[in-house]
Every structure is written in C-alpha cells, then in structure tokens.
Amino acid sequence: MAEGNNVLLGILAIILGILVMVFPLFSVFTASVLAGFAVIFLGIWLLVQSFGMWSANKGVSVAYLILGLIAIIGGIGLFGSIAAFSFLVSFWLYFAGFFLIMSGVMSLFVKEGTKGKGIGGAGIILGILYIILASYAWNPYYLALLIGIWLIIDGITLFFVNPSDLMKAEQ
C-alpha cells in the first residue's frame, strides 16, 4: 500500500477524472487554456534567452527569437481553442503511435530471444492502440473521456504504487 500523500493524490486524481468526464467541454477548454499559457510562457522564455544570447552567439540568438515568436503565436492560437487542442492531442497520439509501431517492428527483427520479440510485439500493439485513440481524440467529448479514464487509472495506481519505491528499483 502507498503512503498517505499518494493516497490523497490518488483520490484527487480520481475526483478530477470524474469531473473531466462529467463536464467534457469545460474540461477540454480548461486544458487548452492551460496548454496555451504554457506555450506562451515557453515563447516568452525563449525570447528572453534570445536577448541574453545576442552578445555571445547571434545565430543561436536569432534561432531563439524565431522559436519564441512561433511559440507565442502558437500559444495564442491554442489558448481556449478546443478544436486546436483536440487536433494537437490527436496529432501527438498519431505521431507516438507511428513511432511505437516502427520501434516495435525494428525490435522484432533486431532483438534476439523471447524478451526482445515480446517487447517488439508490445510496441506494435501499443502503437496500434495509440493510433486508434488518436482517431477518437479529434472529438472533444471522446478526448475528455480519454483524459478522465487516464486520470482515474492513474489515481487507482497511486493507491498501490509508491513512486519512491520505483525510484529505488531503478537504481
């Protein structure tokens, strides 16, 4: 069983997941606002980096300037736009699914043994699942359902898994 903080976070994630599924358009709108803010702040940070780098390297400074302006324009376009957010999420799911399938196929041919073949097969199956989910993520109602289900699963997982134990296992 997990610690008290993880149980509290799990309960909050489950409640948030249920709220996302009950209020789908408001939830996707809120997520698009938060994502838009994040991209705008990223653009502002890149602009600041651009001006700070001007004396050291003009080429890098210009690259930061261009990326910052693109990020600010993209963030403004994403801010509060349910359609743009749905498109972005769907695009990234297609992108990740494609690369999961490609890496799974490569693992099937390159890796030896049952473990390598299993990892390759799992990559292909997950890639196909990602592509199927991406086709549904275009619709904001389904996107909210996917986000809500993910939050609920994550919340339930926090009851049983202690993230600090995972960190210890990796070391």
Side-chain angles (χ1 to χ4, degrees):
M1 191 74 174
E3 295 175 1
N5 284 344
N6 290 341
V7 172
L8 179 63
L9 287 174
I11 291 170
L12 289 175
I14 291 170
I15 292 170
L16 185 59
I18 292 169
L19 286 174
V20 166
M21 289 191 293
V22 170
F23 303 106
L25 289 179
F26 179 75
S27 301
V28 174
F29 174 79
T30 303
S32 70
V33 167
L34 293 173
F37 265 135
V39 174
I40 289 170
F41 283 127
L42 173 68
I44 292 169
W45 179 79
L46 287 168
L47 286 178
V48 170
Q49 291 295 318
S50 170
F51 297 128
M53 290 291 295
W54 185 256
S55 60
N57 190 339
K58 292 191 182 6
V60 172
S61 177
V62 170
Y64 277 146
L65 178 70
I66 292 169
L67 286 174
L69 291 174
I70 291 171
I72 289 172
I73 292 169
I76 291 170
L78 186 60
F79 185 83
S81 174
I82 293 173
F85 185 73
S86 295
F87 168 78
L88 186 65
V89 170
S90 185
F91 171 77
W92 280 112
L93 285 172
Y94 277 124
F95 191 74
F98 173 75
F99 278 100
L100 278 169
I101 291 172
M102 296 308 297
S103 66
V105 169
M106 291 188 318
S107 291
L108 282 176
F109 291 114
V110 173
K111 304 222 176 184
E112 295 180 8
T114 309
K115 184 178 178 183
K117 304 292 185 200
I119 291 172
I124 292 171
I125 291 169
L126 282 174
I128 292 168
L129 181 63
Y130 269 48
I131 289 174
I132 291 169
L133 291 176
S135 65
Y136 287 104
W138 286 97
N139 186 335
Y141 292 105
Y142 289 126
L143 178 59
L145 182 68
L146 291 172
I147 293 170
I149 290 170
W150 173 76
L151 283 167
I152 290 171
I153 291 171
D154 193 40
I156 292 170
T157 305
L158 282 171
F159 287 135
F160 302 106
V161 177
N162 191 352
S164 61
D165 291 342
L166 294 176
M167 298 297 279
K168 291 176 189 174
E170 289 178 4
Q171 295 174 357

